Amino acid sequence: MTVDQLWTAGHPVLEALRRRRDRGHTAARPADDLRIGLAVEGGGIRGVVSAAMLCALEDLGLSQAFDAVYATSAGAINSAYFLDGGSWYPLSIYYDDLTTRRFVDFRRALRGHILDLDYVFDIIDNGKPLGYEKVISSPTALHVAVTLVDELRTEVASGFSSREDLRAALLAGAWLPIALRGTADFRGRRALDGGVLTPHPYRLALEDGCTHVLSLSTRPIRPPAERLLPTRRYVVRHLDRIRPGLGAAYERAVLRYRQERRVLQRRMTEPGEAPFVLDLAPLPWMPEVKRHEIDSGRILAGARGAYEVMHCAVEGLDPALIRAGRLRAVPRLTIVNENAPALRGTAPASPASPASPAS
């Protein structure tokens, strides 16, 4: 497949981002009157894909190009690190820290505790610390999707009042049903993963008035399945036990998004009229990272592929170069002295640098 078969090289979203980069756009000195949103999907360990895309955006000089970020689940955590700066370091959480049974262990299924979010947030708070205050004060607003169980709706949390408020939103927004027991608490209400009722946050960006949306998806580009899988039906029953009607609402959301996915894929090559949306994802031949993947090699391969896709899209390169092996993201080594956090910003910008296409 060539670039024109996957996405239009001159897609309005890409053109708007390139102009902003060329003109040095910032919130204090806007280059235009557009409202450009960034929508970031999660998906457990599959979130490594959107994390790598965010690293590429940062390395390509686009960290200041967005007016707001909308995110679900692991995508919200990725987005928080993106707004904090230095996304290359927390990307390594996926393949260095989460490939362990401390995080995911199906032997704990009977206890309703397959995932251990306490372990994850210990890393976020202490191991590879997120600058909560910097995210809160960022001129680019972060909007975190949280499912409010009893209200049967998606809460788009933003305007965080404190470190604890933001942390609670990230925790609740990643509280995955079945993999975790019960519900989380967010601002005094029962809450679950934002993806339960909003499978992809691009819709939130459009509802908030964005004229252009760059959408980051973590599943490879391919036709969506036609019907719910047996595991999905189990999720429906589980959600109805938490709150009657929640399972049916989830099922409707999944089916609606499958229809929307077809539209999103068509708009990659046929942008249509404003508002414009460009959805980028791993390419059809790239292996899919599973939600609970623990193979660090496969996770790193997913990150490399995602970085390559974003690089090609922004720089207007043909993604056929990736498949031919002529353009690759190559990991590089660096030192992070965990006893001296102030050194974090002195490290190289990314663990994956796109190589120049071979001649």
Side-chain angles (χ1 to χ4, degrees), residues 16-313:
L17 289 173
R18 292 167 187 149
R19 284 196 302 271
R20 281 193 167 186
R21 180 178 62 178
D22 294 344
R23 297 173 183 176
H25 171 93
T26 65
R29 294 194 310 170
D32 52 51
D33 59 357
L34 304 177
R35 180 170 174 80
I36 303 181
L38 177 62
V40 186
E41 186 181 27
I45 295 295
R46 199 169 58 238
V48 70
V49 170
S50 56
M53 288 182 173
L54 291 172
C55 285
L57 286 172
E58 185 174 337
D59 292 347
L60 291 164
L62 291 168
S63 59
Q64 302 295 315
F66 301 95
D67 297 291
V69 182
Y70 308 82
T72 57
S73 192
I77 297 172
N78 295 342
S79 299
Y81 276 117
F82 176 68
L83 295 179
D84 184 24
S87 298
W88 68 270
Y89 187 35
L91 172 66
S92 68
I93 291 174
Y94 285 97
Y95 47 81
D96 279 346
D97 302 296
L98 301 187
T99 54
T100 170
R101 282 187 169 151
R102 288 190 62 186
F103 171 55
V104 55
D105 190 347
F106 285 93
R107 297 175 300 181
R108 300 193 297 252
L110 294 179
R111 289 181 283 164
H113 192 55
I114 296 173
L115 302 182
D116 187 345
L117 284 189
D118 288 338
Y119 169 68
V120 175
F121 274 82
D122 182 57
I123 297 169
I124 294 170
D125 293 340
N126 303 302
K128 296 175 180 178
L130 170 66
Y132 289 97
E133 289 76 13
K134 187 174 178 181
V135 177
I136 293 170
S137 62
S138 171
T140 304
L142 175 61
H143 302 262
V144 179
V146 177
T147 298
L148 296 183
V149 172
D150 297 305
E151 291 87 342
L152 288 179
R153 67 176 179 86
T154 299
E155 172 89 342
V156 186
S158 61
F160 303 102
S161 60
S162 65
R163 175 187 187 279
E164 291 72 26
D165 190 35
L166 173 56
R167 187 183 189 279
L170 297 177
L171 178 63
W175 199 273
L176 191 65
I178 297 179
L180 293 163
R181 182 171 49 248
T183 61
D185 176 85
F186 180 62
R187 296 175 179 172
R189 293 168 290 182
R190 293 199 299 162
L192 289 171
D193 187 308
V196 171
L197 298 182
T198 303
H200 199 295
Y202 89 92
R203 171 184 285 270
L204 304 179
L206 293 177
E207 291 173 353
D208 198 35
C210 289
T211 60
H212 297 67
V213 180
L214 179 63
S215 167
L216 311 186
S217 292
T218 56
R219 296 180 181 86
I221 300 169
R222 60 177 58 128
E226 295 298 327
R227 58 183 180 178
L228 288 178
L229 300 174
T231 52
R232 296 279 191 184
R233 299 191 183 281
Y234 175 72
V235 174
V236 169
R237 293 194 296 270
H238 177 81
L239 291 172
D240 276 333
R241 287 195 294 270
I242 295 176
R243 199 284 196 191
L246 182 59
Y250 161 77
E251 187 173 16
R252 289 193 298 271
V254 170
L255 293 175
R256 182 181 66 241
Y257 178 59
R258 286 179 179 173
Q259 296 173 346
E260 294 172 349
R261 184 79 178 162
R262 294 185 182 91
V263 176
L264 286 174
Q265 291 186 5
R266 185 175 69 249
R267 294 188 71 178
M268 293 171 71
T269 55
E270 302 173 18
E273 299 180 351
F276 300 106
V277 179
L278 175 61
D279 185 62
L280 294 179
L283 303 180
W285 64 82
M286 293 179 173
E288 182 172 353
V289 179
K290 299 177 183 177
R291 181 182 288 274
H292 303 309
E293 184 64 67
I294 60 172
D295 183 331
S296 59
R298 193 177 184 89
I299 294 170
L300 186 55
R304 290 171 59 143
Y307 192 103
E308 291 161 356
V309 167
M310 183 60 69
H311 181 85
C312 284

